[in-house]
Amino acid sequence: MQDEVKKVVLAYSGGLDTSIIIPWLKERYNCEVIAVAADLGQGEELIGLQEKALATGASKVYVEDLREEFIVDYIYPTMKAGAIYEGRYLLGTAFARPLIAKRQVEIAEKEGADALAHGCTGKGNDQVRFELTYKSLNPKLRVIAPWREWDIRSREEAIRYAREHDVPISASPDKIYSHDQNIWHRSSEGGDLEDPWKTAPAEVYDLTRSPEEAPDQSLVFTIDFERGVPTKIDGVSYSPIELLERLNRLAGEHAIGRVDMVENRLIGMKSRGVYESPGGTLIYVAHRDLESLVLPGQLLHYKESLAPKYAELVYYGQWFSPLREALDAFVEKTQERVSGTVRLKLYKGNIIIEGRKSPYSLYREDYATFGEEDVYDQKDAEGFINLFGLPQKVKSLIDIEGTGLSEYRRPDYSKFKRD
């Protein structure tokens, strides 16, 4: 029978949606529910999570610390690719979902479960990200998506269901924003944000100060990279988790990393999201600046042309796709010499690059200088221009000869004028 399910592994966050899914699954399928919560750096949200899941009907709860794997295997590859969705979104939710889903599949196989469940709505991108990962890693497991099955059609109805089933929640009709947070970012949707004309209220932001509240004194510091990966701040080495947490504090204090945008969802509708990625914004800016110093121009430009495609793959949930894996191989090759130091100044929401250096720098002062030249003869430029412009010159000569003109004359457009 299609509806027979014995054991379901649920991707559990403790938020409104997944909190009510546990009792709903037990009512609808009369099954055992195992909750899997991923610690991706959301901090206080994890407090009491295990007790809450057990109290609402879960038979077992996994709380997995995936922060370092998240940074090293998901954030860094995306950052090194320069991938930014629609030029603004640093993909903080998009590349978190494949990692959570991957661990969910692993636990389902360990526990002998026959189904997986998630709390994504039928209108969003996350349902695709979870389910494409399921299909990539274990397509035999059944997928249950309650938002596509139950009669609940709004967050207000979900809140009412929670109260009727004594499920403790923090959401309320007066506090209706939907947040997603991890060590890389915080996203906010819903409520007043559904009107793209309305200013995002101050309470939406949590990781960053406003420019008006930022210090009057600027902050100058350095970030060191090794093969495209950030390793040091002001010459001091940090673990991936420590480094990102420190950059989050520095950038957040100086109002860095806020994005308010209307984006195109995969399913075809537009949505407004408010994002905070303070430390991530610093890393992206510094990394791109260092690449400008060490990568040959043709390679840098080609890499930049692939970045939107990489971002699209991540946003569309195609993390475990052959194309993304192939792009990773290309990106890793480009990062072999992306090592060096970038000096930044932060001031009231601005990131100012003050300097950069690398043992692999392709910048040569004796080539670029406007002073005395020993390695570059400006007379050579004439031959270069003649060769570089040869196709345009040939085309122009053919056009002129084709009209029977012995010399170029501007066409007479007067005959085309209206009376």
Side-chain angles (χ1 to χ4, degrees):
M1 183 178 176
Q2 179 66 20
D3 283 348
E4 286 185 355
V5 175
K6 295 179 180 179
K7 189 182 294 187
V8 180
V9 174
L10 168 66
Y12 183 75
S13 68
L16 172 61
D17 297 339
T18 57
S19 293
I20 64 174
I21 284 174
I22 293 178
W24 182 86
L25 284 171
K26 292 173 69 69
E27 287 182 355
R28 173 68 176 81
Y29 291 97
N30 190 30
C31 62
E32 179 183 350
V33 179
I34 297 174
V36 175
D39 177 3
L40 300 181
Q42 56 268 52
E44 294 182 357
E45 293 181 16
L46 296 169
I47 297 175
L49 201 68
Q50 187 168 15
E51 294 79 5
K52 179 179 178 180
L54 291 172
T56 51
S59 63
K60 187 181 292 188
V61 181
Y62 285 83
V63 180
E64 304 279 296
D65 186 351
L66 304 178
R67 291 175 297 168
E68 186 154 337
E69 182 179 357
F70 181 44
I71 296 170
V72 173
D73 294 343
Y74 294 78
I75 291 176
Y76 285 169
T78 306
M79 178 274 299
K80 287 187 285 188
I84 304 175
Y85 185 67
E86 296 190 337
R88 303 183 69 191
Y89 173 40
L90 298 188
L91 298 162
T93 297
F95 50 41
R97 299 314 187 228
L99 173 57
I100 298 170
K102 169 177 166 288
R103 189 62 186 132
Q104 195 182 354
V105 169
E106 292 169 348
I107 291 173
E109 293 171 345
K110 174 184 175 182
E111 292 286 348
D114 52 352
L116 302 165
H118 60 73
C120 310
T121 72
K123 293 183 178 180
N125 302 302
D126 280 344
Q127 57 182 334
V128 181
R129 296 162 183 159
F130 272 101
E131 294 183 35
L132 289 191
T133 301
Y134 300 157
K135 292 178 186 298
S136 297
L137 302 182
N138 191 335
K140 295 183 179 181
L141 291 168
R142 180 176 173 182
V143 178
I144 300 174
W147 274 100
R148 301 202 300 257
E149 294 186 26
W150 61 21
D151 295 328
I152 298 172
R153 289 292 173 263
S154 68
R155 291 183 64 79
E156 290 81 3
E157 291 181 10
I159 291 170
R160 185 162 53 251
Y161 182 94
R163 290 174 176 170
E164 291 172 353
H165 290 75
D166 297 321
V167 176
I169 57 171
S170 59
S172 69
D174 298 324
K175 188 179 181 181
I176 206 70
Y177 299 108
S178 175
H179 302 289
D180 178 72
Q181 184 166 330
N182 57 48
I183 196 170
W184 183 251
H185 93 144
R186 173 182 168 92
S187 67
S188 301
E189 295 179 330
D192 289 341
L193 300 180
E194 292 182 352
D195 181 350
W197 180 247
K198 285 188 176 180
T199 301
E203 63 263 27
V204 165
Y205 298 102
D206 186 65
L207 304 181
T208 58
R209 292 185 178 186
S210 68
E212 293 82 1
E213 297 172 331
D216 293 331
Q217 181 65 41
S218 64
L219 173 68
V220 179
F221 63 99
T222 61
I223 302 177
D224 282 23
F225 290 83
E226 293 181 14
R227 297 175 68 92
V229 173
T231 57
K232 298 179 182 179
I233 302 172
D234 282 335
V236 179
S237 297
Y238 293 95
S239 71
I241 294 173
E242 293 170 336
L243 184 138
L244 185 49
E245 288 179 339
R246 184 169 180 82
L247 289 179
N248 279 335
R249 289 194 295 271
L250 295 178
E253 182 180 354
H254 288 269
I256 304 297
R258 290 186 176 186
V259 171
D260 184 334
M261 65 181 289
V262 174
E263 68 196 62
N264 291 289
R265 287 182 177 176
L266 169 59
I267 61 170
M269 66 175 65
K270 292 183 181 290
S271 67
R272 181 194 187 183
V274 171
Y275 300 108
E276 295 174 275
S277 303
T281 300
L282 294 182
I283 292 172
Y284 261 82
V285 170
H287 177 265
R288 174 60 183 80
D289 192 78
L290 184 58
E291 284 189 325
S292 72
L293 186 68
V294 301
L295 295 186
Q298 191 175 26
L299 176 59
L300 178 62
H301 294 166
Y302 189 77
K303 178 177 180 290
E304 288 178 332
S305 73
L306 295 178
K309 184 60 181 178
Y310 195 109
E312 187 178 84
L313 288 170
V314 176
Y315 190 86
Y316 289 177
Q318 297 172 305
W319 184 269
F320 294 101
S321 66
L323 177 54
R324 192 204 60 82
E325 292 170 0
L327 289 177
D328 263 354
F330 167 76
V331 171
E332 282 303 309
K333 181 65 178 178
T334 70
Q335 301 301 292
E336 290 179 348
R337 295 194 171 192
V338 184
S339 299
T341 305
V342 180
R343 188 172 68 253
L344 309 94
K345 177 192 286 187
L346 309 184
Y347 183 68
K348 292 189 179 295
N350 295 287
I351 305 174
I352 303 163
I353 301 294
E354 289 203 329
R356 74 288 290 162
K357 63 180 180 179
S358 169
Y360 303 108
S361 171
L362 297 179
Y363 179 88
R364 288 284 299 271
E365 187 176 355
D366 51 352
Y367 287 7
T369 182
F370 287 99
E372 186 176 350
E373 303 155 356
D374 295 323
V375 296
Y376 182 82
D377 187 342
Q378 295 193 33
K379 294 179 181 178
D380 293 340
E382 181 179 354
F384 166 75
I385 294 171
N386 286 337
L387 291 177
F388 190 63
L390 183 60
Q392 292 167 261
K393 179 179 180 180
V394 170
K395 179 182 182 300
S396 180
L397 289 172
I398 291 174
D399 289 345
I400 292 172
E401 292 172 359
T403 59
L405 300 175
S406 58
E407 61 181 25
Y408 177 77
R409 294 196 301 270
R410 178 179 292 277
D412 181 8
Y413 294 107
S414 59
K415 61 184 177 180
F416 299 111
K417 290 183 179 179
R418 293 182 179 181
D419 295 335

Coordinates of all heavy atoms in Angstrom, one line a residue, residues 5-58:
V5 N 4.1 3.6 5.7 CA 5.5 4.1 6.0 C 5.8 3.7 7.4 O 5.0 3.9 8.3 CB 5.6 5.6 5.9 CG1 6.9 6.1 6.3 CG2 5.3 6.1 4.4
K6 N 6.9 3.1 7.6 CA 7.3 2.6 9.0 C 8.1 3.6 9.7 O 7.9 3.8 10.9 CB 8.0 1.3 8.9 CG 7.1 0.1 8.3 CD 7.9 -1.1 8.2 CE 7.0 -2.3 7.6 NZ 7.8 -3.5 7.5
K7 N 9.1 4.2 9.1 CA 10.1 5.0 9.8 C 10.5 6.2 8.8 O 10.9 5.9 7.7 CB 11.3 4.2 10.2 CG 12.2 5.0 11.1 CD 13.4 4.1 11.5 CE 13.1 2.9 12.3 NZ 14.3 2.2 12.8
V8 N 10.3 7.4 9.3 CA 10.6 8.6 8.5 C 11.7 9.4 9.2 O 11.7 9.6 10.4 CB 9.4 9.5 8.4 CG1 9.7 10.7 7.6 CG2 8.2 8.8 7.8
V9 N 12.7 9.8 8.4 CA 13.8 10.7 8.9 C 13.4 12.1 8.5 O 13.4 12.4 7.3 CB 15.2 10.2 8.5 CG1 16.2 11.3 8.9 CG2 15.5 8.9 9.0
L10 N 13.2 13.0 9.4 CA 12.8 14.4 9.1 C 13.9 15.3 9.3 O 14.6 15.3 10.3 CB 11.6 14.7 10.1 CG 11.2 16.2 10.1 CD1 10.6 16.7 8.8 CD2 10.3 16.5 11.3
A11 N 14.1 16.2 8.3 CA 15.1 17.3 8.4 C 14.4 18.3 9.4 O 13.4 19.0 9.0 CB 15.4 17.9 7.1
Y12 N 15.0 18.5 10.6 CA 14.3 19.2 11.7 C 15.1 20.4 12.1 O 16.3 20.4 12.3 CB 14.2 18.3 12.8 CG 13.4 18.8 14.0 CD1 12.0 19.0 14.0 CD2 14.1 19.2 15.2 CE1 11.4 19.5 15.1 CE2 13.5 19.7 16.3 CZ 12.1 19.8 16.3 OH 11.4 20.3 17.4
S13 N 14.4 21.6 12.1 CA 15.1 22.8 12.5 C 14.5 23.3 13.8 O 15.1 24.2 14.4 CB 14.9 23.9 11.4 OG 13.5 24.3 11.4
G14 N 13.4 22.8 14.2 CA 12.7 23.4 15.4 C 11.9 24.6 15.2 O 11.3 25.1 16.1
G15 N 11.8 25.0 13.9 CA 11.0 26.1 13.6 C 9.5 25.7 13.5 O 9.1 24.6 13.7
L16 N 8.7 26.6 13.1 CA 7.2 26.4 13.0 C 6.9 25.2 12.2 O 6.2 24.3 12.6 CB 6.5 27.7 12.5 CG 5.0 27.5 12.2 CD1 4.3 27.1 13.4 CD2 4.5 28.8 11.6
D17 N 7.4 25.2 10.9 CA 7.0 24.1 10.0 C 7.4 22.7 10.4 O 6.6 21.8 10.5 CB 7.6 24.4 8.6 CG 7.0 25.7 8.0 OD1 6.0 26.2 8.5 OD2 7.7 26.3 7.1
T18 N 8.7 22.6 10.8 CA 9.1 21.2 11.1 C 8.6 20.8 12.5 O 8.5 19.6 12.8 CB 10.6 21.1 11.1 OG1 11.2 22.1 12.0 CG2 11.2 21.3 9.7
S19 N 8.3 21.7 13.3 CA 7.7 21.4 14.7 C 6.4 20.7 14.6 O 6.1 19.8 15.3 CB 7.6 22.7 15.5 OG 8.9 23.1 15.9
I20 N 5.5 21.2 13.7 CA 4.2 20.6 13.5 C 4.2 19.4 12.6 O 3.3 18.6 12.6 CB 3.2 21.7 13.0 CG1 3.5 22.1 11.6 CG2 3.0 22.8 14.0 CD1 2.4 23.0 11.0
I21 N 5.3 19.2 11.9 CA 5.3 18.1 11.0 C 5.5 16.8 11.8 O 4.9 15.7 11.4 CB 6.5 18.2 10.0 CG1 6.1 19.2 8.9 CG2 6.9 16.9 9.4 CD1 7.2 19.5 7.9
I22 N 6.1 16.8 12.9 CA 6.3 15.5 13.7 C 4.9 15.0 14.1 O 4.6 13.8 13.8 CB 7.2 15.8 14.9 CG1 8.6 16.1 14.5 CG2 7.2 14.5 15.8 CD1 9.6 16.4 15.6
P23 N 4.1 15.7 14.8 CA 2.7 15.2 15.1 C 1.9 14.9 13.9 O 1.1 13.9 13.8 CB 2.1 16.2 16.0 CG 2.8 17.5 15.7 CD 4.2 17.1 15.4
W24 N 2.1 15.7 12.8 CA 1.3 15.4 11.6 C 1.7 14.1 11.0 O 0.8 13.3 10.5 CB 1.5 16.6 10.6 CG 0.7 16.4 9.4 CD1 -0.6 16.8 9.2 CD2 1.1 15.8 8.1 NE1 -1.0 16.5 7.9 CE2 0.0 15.8 7.2 CE3 2.3 15.2 7.7 CZ2 0.1 15.3 6.0 CZ3 2.3 14.7 6.4 CH2 1.2 14.7 5.6
L25 N 3.0 13.8 10.9 CA 3.4 12.5 10.3 C 2.9 11.4 11.1 O 2.5 10.3 10.5 CB 5.0 12.5 10.3 CG 5.7 13.3 9.2 CD1 7.2 13.3 9.4 CD2 5.4 12.8 7.8
K26 N 2.9 11.5 12.4 CA 2.5 10.4 13.2 C 1.0 10.2 13.1 O 0.5 9.0 13.0 CB 2.8 10.7 14.7 CG 4.3 10.6 15.0 CD 4.6 11.1 16.4 CE 4.2 10.1 17.4 NZ 5.0 8.8 17.4
E27 N 0.2 11.3 12.9 CA -1.2 11.1 12.7 C -1.5 10.6 11.3 O -2.4 9.7 11.2 CB -1.9 12.5 12.9 CG -2.0 13.0 14.3 CD -2.7 14.3 14.4 OE1 -3.1 14.9 13.3 OE2 -3.0 14.8 15.5
R28 N -0.8 11.1 10.3 CA -1.2 10.8 8.9 C -0.7 9.4 8.5 O -1.4 8.6 7.8 CB -0.5 11.8 8.0 CG -0.6 11.5 6.5 CD -2.0 11.6 6.0 NE -2.1 11.4 4.6 CZ -2.1 10.2 3.9 NH1 -2.0 9.1 4.7 NH2 -2.1 10.2 2.6
Y29 N 0.5 9.0 9.0 CA 1.1 7.7 8.5 C 1.3 6.7 9.6 O 1.7 5.6 9.4 CB 2.5 8.0 7.9 CG 2.4 8.8 6.6 CD1 2.6 10.1 6.6 CD2 2.1 8.1 5.4 CE1 2.5 10.8 5.4 CE2 2.1 8.8 4.2 CZ 2.2 10.2 4.2 OH 2.2 10.9 3.0
N30 N 1.0 7.1 10.9 CA 1.1 6.2 12.0 C 2.5 5.5 12.0 O 2.7 4.3 12.1 CB 0.1 5.1 12.0 CG 0.1 4.2 13.3 OD1 0.4 4.7 14.3 ND2 -0.3 3.0 13.1
C31 N 3.6 6.4 11.9 CA 4.9 5.9 11.7 C 5.8 6.5 12.8 O 5.5 7.4 13.5 CB 5.5 6.4 10.3 SG 5.5 8.2 10.2
E32 N 7.0 5.9 12.9 CA 8.1 6.4 13.7 C 8.7 7.6 13.1 O 9.0 7.5 11.8 CB 9.1 5.3 14.0 CG 10.2 5.7 14.9 CD 11.2 4.6 15.1 OE1 11.0 3.5 14.7 OE2 12.3 4.9 15.7
V33 N 9.1 8.6 13.8 CA 9.7 9.8 13.3 C 11.0 10.0 14.0 O 11.1 10.2 15.2 CB 8.8 11.1 13.4 CG1 9.6 12.3 12.8 CG2 7.5 10.9 12.7
I34 N 12.1 10.1 13.2 CA 13.4 10.4 13.7 C 13.8 11.8 13.2 O 13.7 12.1 12.0 CB 14.5 9.4 13.2 CG1 14.1 8.0 13.8 CG2 15.9 9.8 13.6 CD1 15.0 6.9 13.3
A35 N 14.1 12.7 14.1 CA 14.5 14.1 13.7 C 16.0 14.3 13.6 O 16.7 13.8 14.4 CB 13.9 15.1 14.8
V36 N 16.4 14.9 12.5 CA 17.8 15.2 12.2 C 18.0 16.7 12.2 O 17.4 17.4 11.3 CB 18.3 14.6 10.9 CG1 19.7 15.0 10.7 CG2 18.2 13.1 11.0
A37 N 18.7 17.3 13.1 CA 19.0 18.7 13.1 C 20.5 18.9 12.8 O 21.3 18.3 13.4 CB 18.6 19.3 14.5
A38 N 20.8 19.8 11.9 CA 22.2 20.1 11.5 C 22.6 21.4 12.2 O 22.0 22.4 12.1 CB 22.3 20.2 10.0
D39 N 23.7 21.3 13.0 CA 24.3 22.5 13.5 C 25.2 23.1 12.5 O 26.3 22.6 12.2 CB 25.1 22.1 14.8 CG 25.8 23.3 15.4 OD1 25.7 24.5 14.9 OD2 26.6 23.2 16.4
L40 N 24.7 24.2 11.8 CA 25.5 24.9 10.8 C 25.9 26.2 11.3 O 26.3 27.1 10.6 CB 24.7 25.0 9.5 CG 24.3 23.7 8.8 CD1 23.5 24.1 7.6 CD2 25.5 22.8 8.6
G41 N 25.8 26.4 12.6 CA 26.2 27.7 13.2 C 25.1 28.6 13.5 O 25.3 29.8 13.6
Q42 N 23.9 28.1 13.8 CA 22.8 28.9 14.1 C 22.6 29.3 15.5 O 21.7 30.0 15.9 CB 21.5 28.3 13.5 CG 21.2 26.9 14.1 CD 21.7 25.8 13.2 OE1 22.8 25.8 12.8 NE2 20.8 24.9 12.8
G43 N 23.6 28.8 16.3 CA 23.7 29.3 17.7 C 22.5 28.9 18.6 O 22.2 27.8 18.8
E44 N 21.9 30.0 19.2 CA 20.8 29.8 20.2 C 19.6 29.0 19.7 O 18.9 28.4 20.5 CB 20.4 31.1 20.7 CG 21.5 31.9 21.5 CD 21.0 33.2 22.1 OE1 19.8 33.5 21.8 OE2 21.7 33.9 22.7
E45 N 19.5 28.9 18.4 CA 18.3 28.2 17.9 C 18.4 26.7 18.2 O 17.4 26.0 18.2 CB 18.3 28.3 16.3 CG 17.9 29.7 15.9 CD 17.9 29.8 14.3 OE1 17.8 28.7 13.7 OE2 17.9 30.9 13.8
L46 N 19.6 26.2 18.5 CA 19.7 24.8 18.8 C 19.4 24.5 20.3 O 19.3 23.3 20.7 CB 21.2 24.4 18.5 CG 21.6 24.4 17.1 CD1 23.1 24.2 16.9 CD2 20.8 23.4 16.2
I47 N 19.3 25.5 21.1 CA 19.1 25.3 22.6 C 17.7 24.6 22.8 O 16.7 25.2 22.3 CB 19.2 26.6 23.4 CG1 20.6 27.2 23.3 CG2 18.8 26.4 24.8 CD1 20.7 28.5 23.9
G48 N 17.7 23.5 23.4 CA 16.4 22.8 23.7 C 15.8 22.1 22.6 O 14.7 21.6 22.7
L49 N 16.5 22.0 21.5 CA 16.0 21.4 20.2 C 15.6 20.0 20.4 O 14.6 19.5 20.0 CB 17.0 21.6 19.1 CG 16.4 21.5 17.7 CD1 15.5 22.7 17.4 CD2 17.5 21.5 16.6
Q50 N 16.6 19.2 21.0 CA 16.4 17.8 21.2 C 15.2 17.5 22.1 O 14.3 16.7 21.8 CB 17.6 17.2 21.8 CG 17.6 15.7 21.9 CD 18.9 15.1 22.2 OE1 19.8 15.8 22.7 NE2 19.1 13.8 22.0
E51 N 15.1 18.2 23.2 CA 14.0 18.0 24.1 C 12.6 18.4 23.5 O 11.6 17.7 23.7 CB 14.1 18.9 25.4 CG 15.3 18.5 26.3 CD 16.7 19.0 25.7 OE1 16.6 19.8 24.7 OE2 17.7 18.7 26.3
K52 N 12.6 19.4 22.6 CA 11.4 19.8 22.0 C 10.9 18.8 21.0 O 9.7 18.4 20.9 CB 11.6 21.2 21.2 CG 10.4 21.7 20.5 CD 10.7 23.0 19.8 CE 9.6 23.5 19.0 NZ 9.8 24.8 18.4
A53 N 11.9 18.2 20.2 CA 11.5 17.2 19.2 C 11.0 15.9 19.9 O 10.0 15.4 19.4 CB 12.7 16.9 18.4
L54 N 11.6 15.5 21.0 CA 11.1 14.4 21.7 C 9.7 14.6 22.3 O 8.9 13.7 22.3 CB 12.1 14.0 22.8 CG 13.5 13.4 22.3 CD1 14.5 13.3 23.5 CD2 13.3 12.1 21.6
A55 N 9.5 15.8 22.8 CA 8.3 16.1 23.5 C 7.1 16.2 22.5 O 6.0 16.0 22.8 CB 8.4 17.5 24.2
T56 N 7.4 16.5 21.2 CA 6.4 16.5 20.2 C 6.2 15.2 19.4 O 5.4 15.2 18.5 CB 6.6 17.7 19.2 OG1 8.0 17.6 18.7 CG2 6.5 19.0 19.9
G57 N 6.9 14.2 19.8 CA 6.6 12.9 19.3 C 7.8 12.1 18.6 O 7.6 11.0 18.1
A58 N 9.0 12.8 18.4 CA 10.1 12.1 17.8 C 10.6 10.9 18.6 O 10.6 11.1 19.9 CB 11.2 13.1 17.5

